Amino acid sequence: MPASAAPQPILTEFKDGIARLIFNNPARHNAMSLEMWTHGAELLEAFGRDDNVRAILLTGAGSEAFVAGADISKFGDERASRDAVETYDRAVARFQQVMRDLEKPTIARIDGFCIGGGLAIAIECDIRVCSEKSSFSVPAAKLGIGYAMDGIRRLRTLVGPAFAAEIFYTARRFSAQEAVMMGLVNRVLPETELDKHVEDLLSRISENAPLAIQTAKRALIELEKPEDGQDAASCEALVLRCMESEDYVEGRTAFMEKRKPVFRGR
């Protein structure tokens, strides 16, 4: 890249069935701009359509932050008028909806600050793993910002109404140990062990049958909806698809032959 070229605000990598989306604004603790919300949603949609992608990892560049909220330095341009605010909010909502609709497993690797919009991204992931130094908060009440109902609902689902109330009412920063106690993250690890654990997790997921994982993910998506809006028929159809798949035959055969199965997603 020429020395004069601006760094890409979001980086991607793909290897061994794992797509990585890296928020790349380390000078501002990976704070999100309008461009990052918009381009991030496009990249995630592309990962979702790619049959070669077995799982998606979201993480932040550097070692200080996952995402530390919105990039306030951009507010003069991106949120200076009602129309601009509405455009920004639509981009955030689209990113979150894409996350919710993804039928691939999503994992958040958190090392450092996970604040505001960063926490909103993390809680849309299926699994969250963080280092011991990580910290979490929703500072909206300190900034006079009203938080949308959808974001509150998702956090409430994860941690329950009492902890959700504490997070929003106090706007204070919570430690990694508090986060795991509340159910906000799955695991807390020493920083030196974070990548090893994440890579092991991704390896286990990518080696399993994609259709079986898709079936579980679809059920989790439907169960987030009100009961009268759940599509149980689509979940049952995916179960039957698994039973009729080549991967089901491969799984049984590999078990009988005492070898590792090789799944192909069909």
Side-chain angles (χ1 to χ4, degrees), residues 231-244:
D231 186 356
S234 69
C235 295
E236 182 60 27
L238 287 173
V239 172
L240 294 175
R241 183 186 178 196
C242 286
M243 298 298 292
E244 296 169 352

Side-chain angles (χ1 to χ4, degrees), residues 42-242:
E42 293 168 352
L43 291 169
L44 289 169
E45 284 185 323
F47 290 156
R49 293 191 297 267
D50 189 340
D51 290 340
N52 295 311
V53 172
R54 298 289 184 94
I56 302 168
L57 177 73
L58 288 82
T59 191
S63 60
E64 297 298 322
F66 176 70
V67 170
D71 189 345
I72 297 175
S73 72
K74 300 278 190 178
F75 278 17
D77 297 323
E78 297 179 352
R79 302 179 78 172
S81 67
R82 179 181 292 272
D83 286 346
V85 168
E86 289 177 353
T87 297
Y88 186 94
D89 289 347
R90 283 196 298 271
V92 174
R94 179 168 177 259
F95 183 101
Q96 293 175 324
Q97 191 60 55
V98 169
M99 287 289 299
R100 292 169 194 163
D101 292 342
L102 280 170
E103 295 193 1
K104 307 285 177 72
T106 51
I107 296 92
R109 173 198 173 275
I110 302 164
D111 187 22
F113 299 116
C114 185
I115 309 296
L119 184 56
I121 293 170
I123 65 177
E124 295 296 347
C125 291
D126 299 315
I127 299 170
R128 288 156 296 283
V129 181
C130 76
S131 66
E132 291 174 333
K133 76 176 186 186
S134 298
S135 60
F136 305 79
S137 76
V138 180
K142 288 184 177 180
L143 301 171
I145 296 172
Y147 220 82
M149 185 175 178
D150 278 349
I152 294 174
R153 179 190 293 114
R154 177 62 176 149
L155 190 62
R156 182 184 185 275
T157 298
L158 282 176
V159 303
F163 282 132
E166 185 178 354
I167 290 168
F168 283 105
Y169 296 173
T170 67
R172 76 174 178 87
R173 193 169 296 172
F174 294 83
S175 70
Q177 291 302 330
E178 288 177 299
V180 75
M181 178 269 294
M182 291 188 290
L184 193 56
V185 298
N186 296 66
R187 298 281 187 280
V188 176
L189 295 141
E191 191 172 8
T192 55
E193 297 176 19
L194 179 62
D195 284 335
K196 182 179 182 300
H197 179 86
V198 169
E199 292 305 316
D200 179 68
L201 177 65
L202 291 169
S203 177
R204 290 175 182 272
I205 292 171
S206 66
E207 290 173 358
N208 286 332
L211 295 180
I213 291 175
Q214 181 189 6
T215 301
K217 181 68 185 272
R218 169 48 55 186
L220 290 170
I221 291 171
E222 294 301 324
L223 288 167
E224 283 292 310
K225 301 176 183 178
E227 189 170 352
D228 60 0
Q230 294 173 3
D231 186 356
S234 69
C235 295
E236 182 60 27
L238 287 173
V239 172
L240 294 175
R241 183 186 178 196
C242 286

